């Protein structure tokens, strides 16, 4: 925030710059974001480096640099979390009250802890404690940032005690969420519910209170996937997409469900991958049109599908198409987090679980 300048001439000058020139550095960062979203990641990276070369204290550019590095990581880049953590830490130090920066810092801190869990390295509990501190900082800035509260419920409610889990804290955050927001409260309660809880029945009870809520319809669909009932999952996903077409990304859940089934049961490989292929192609044709990073990611999944089905030529053709769209598209099996695809100045309300495939 610019300091108040008392000299009248300077005040007028600053107003003129603000009104007629706009915030040029922020526009350049927005341009870098748009380049990345159009598949021109190298150009986006070069632009951000140029911005930061001129002004390393540009917090928005540091934030966008962290997201770009995160995106490169999903594309099979160097497994170096410092390349993500260093710029987002810098952004937060420069603008500690920017809730977008603080939220993303909490997410990347969680990613760092989660990777430590997966690799069996030490200090997981300390890294989880640090992550929780960051999410609590988000809530101190914006108490109704329900996604941050939900992460705390999952961390405390789903991790064992030796990794930082705390069932009493999970229940406390769930209770607080339930009093603030019906959907997020229900989602929190579904996390802390007894293990044998019928999640389909749980979410159908929520739907009875709010029959046109696409979020609840989505939850029922996903609950059916966990019950190995993709037909009912598709039915509820279709209802959710009818109300909110932007939910078309749920089609990828169906594609990935059949892909995972194929990997787990070799006798079903051909039939399950054929179903997966159908949903991947459906997503590519869906409206609203998928953004380029997600389109390239989907083509990448189709590439694997065709290769396993024995269609080598088609697989190679699809890989060429995917790389032409975005050479750095995500090679991960999970859908890349949509947090990476919101404009840099926008508060993101995307939530994804680190503990569940859907």
């Amino acid at each position: 925030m610019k300091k108040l300048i008392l000299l009248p001439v300077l005040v007028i000058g600053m107003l003129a710059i603000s009104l007629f020139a706009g915030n040029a550095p922020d526009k350049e960062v927005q341009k870098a974001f748009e380049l990345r979203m159009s598949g021109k990641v190298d150009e986006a990276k070069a632009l951000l480096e140029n911005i930061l070369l001129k002004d390393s204290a540009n917090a928005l550019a540091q934030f966008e640099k962290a997201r770009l590095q995160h995106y490169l990581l999903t594309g099979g880049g160097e497994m170096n979390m410092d390349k993500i953590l260093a710029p987002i830490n810098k952004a937060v130090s420069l603008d500690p009250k920017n809730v977008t920066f603080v939220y993303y810092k909490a997410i990347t801190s969680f990613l760092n802890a989660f990777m430590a869990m997966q690799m069996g390295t030490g200090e997981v509990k300390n890294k989880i404690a640090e992550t929780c501190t960051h999410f609590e900082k988000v809530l101190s800035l914006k108490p109704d940032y329900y996604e941050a509260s939900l992460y705390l419920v999952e961390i405390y409610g789903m991790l064992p005690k030796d990794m930082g889990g705390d069932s009493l804290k999970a229940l406390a955050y769930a209770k607080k969420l339930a009093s603030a927001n019906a959907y997020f409260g229900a989602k929190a309660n579904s996390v802390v519910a007894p293990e044998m809880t019928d999640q389909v029945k749980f979410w159908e009870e929520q739907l009875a209170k709010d029959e046109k809520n696409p979020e609840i319809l989505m939850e029922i669909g996903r609950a059916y996937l966990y019950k190995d009932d993709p037909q009912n999952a598709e039915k509820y996903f279709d209802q959710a997409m009818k109300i909110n077409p932007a939910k078309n990304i749920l089609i990828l859940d169906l594609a990935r469900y059949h892909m995972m089934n194929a990997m787990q049961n070799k006798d079903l490989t051909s039939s399950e991958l054929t179903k997966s292929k159908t949903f991947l192609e459906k997503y590519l044709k869906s409206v609203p049109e998928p953004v380029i990073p997600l389109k390239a990611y989907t083509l990448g999944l189709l590439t694997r599908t065709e290769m396993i089905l024995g269609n080598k030529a088609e697989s190679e053709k699809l890989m060429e198409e995917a790389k032409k769209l975005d050479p750095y598209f995500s090679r991960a099996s999970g859908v890349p987090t949509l947090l990476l695809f919101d404009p840099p100045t926008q508060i993101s309300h995307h939530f994804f679980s680190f503990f569940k495939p859907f």
Side-chain angles (χ1 to χ4, degrees), residues 320-358:
E320 186 178 338
E321 188 179 344
K323 286 183 175 179
K324 187 176 180 181
L325 277 176
D326 184 349
Y328 299 98
F329 72 86
S330 175
R331 269 66 167 183
S333 58
V335 179
T337 171
L338 301 183
L339 287 166
L340 300 177
F341 307 141
D342 281 332
T345 55
Q346 178 178 314
I347 293 179
S348 183
H349 289 286
H350 296 297
F351 175 90
F352 66 97
S353 177
F354 279 82
F355 304 112
K356 301 176 183 179
F358 307 111

Side-chain angles (χ1 to χ4, degrees), residues 145-312:
Y145 211 141
Y146 303 130
E147 293 83 0
S149 293
L150 189 55
Y151 275 114
L152 288 167
V153 173
E154 284 210 345
I155 289 169
Y156 288 129
M158 300 181 77
L159 284 177
K161 192 173 183 180
D162 63 348
M163 287 187 178
D166 187 325
S167 59
L168 291 179
K169 285 185 178 180
L171 287 168
Y173 275 108
K175 183 178 180 181
K176 193 172 181 179
L177 255 183
S179 67
N181 181 277
Y183 166 67
F184 280 98
K187 198 158 171 60
N189 283 329
S190 75
V191 172
V192 298
E195 191 174 340
M196 298 306 294
T197 298
D198 186 330
Q199 291 288 337
V200 168
K201 184 179 179 182
F202 173 89
W203 284 108
E204 283 179 338
E205 288 173 355
Q206 307 309 312
L207 187 64
K209 305 171 190 173
D210 191 358
E211 295 179 354
K212 299 296 182 181
N213 189 322
E215 304 294 336
I216 296 176
L217 290 165
M218 173 189 73
E219 297 292 350
I220 297 175
R222 286 178 169 169
Y224 270 117
L225 283 183
Y226 288 116
K227 278 193 166 186
D228 289 317
D229 186 347
Q231 287 78 24
N232 267 315
E234 184 178 2
K235 182 182 80 173
Y236 280 97
F237 285 169
D238 284 345
Q239 290 179 43
M241 287 185 282
K242 188 175 181 180
I243 297 168
N244 181 4
K247 289 287 181 188
N248 59 345
I249 198 164
L250 291 172
I251 300 169
L252 289 179
D253 280 357
L254 293 165
R256 291 174 53 250
Y257 170 84
H258 289 293
M259 191 173 286
M260 284 187 275
N261 267 3
M263 299 303 108
Q264 293 168 5
N265 191 333
K266 291 184 178 180
D267 293 336
L268 299 176
T269 297
S270 180
S271 61
E272 286 296 291
L273 286 183
T274 299
K275 291 175 185 176
S276 179
K277 177 182 172 180
T278 299
F279 285 115
L280 291 170
E281 291 173 341
K282 180 179 179 181
Y283 177 65
L284 289 172
K285 296 174 184 175
S286 66
V287 178
E289 182 180 356
V291 294
I292 285 175
L294 289 177
K295 189 180 290 186
Y297 161 77
T298 304
L299 287 169
L301 294 183
L302 274 171
T303 296
R304 294 186 220 171
T305 300
E306 294 289 10
M307 182 61 76
I308 297 170
L309 289 173
N311 304 325
K312 185 180 178 182

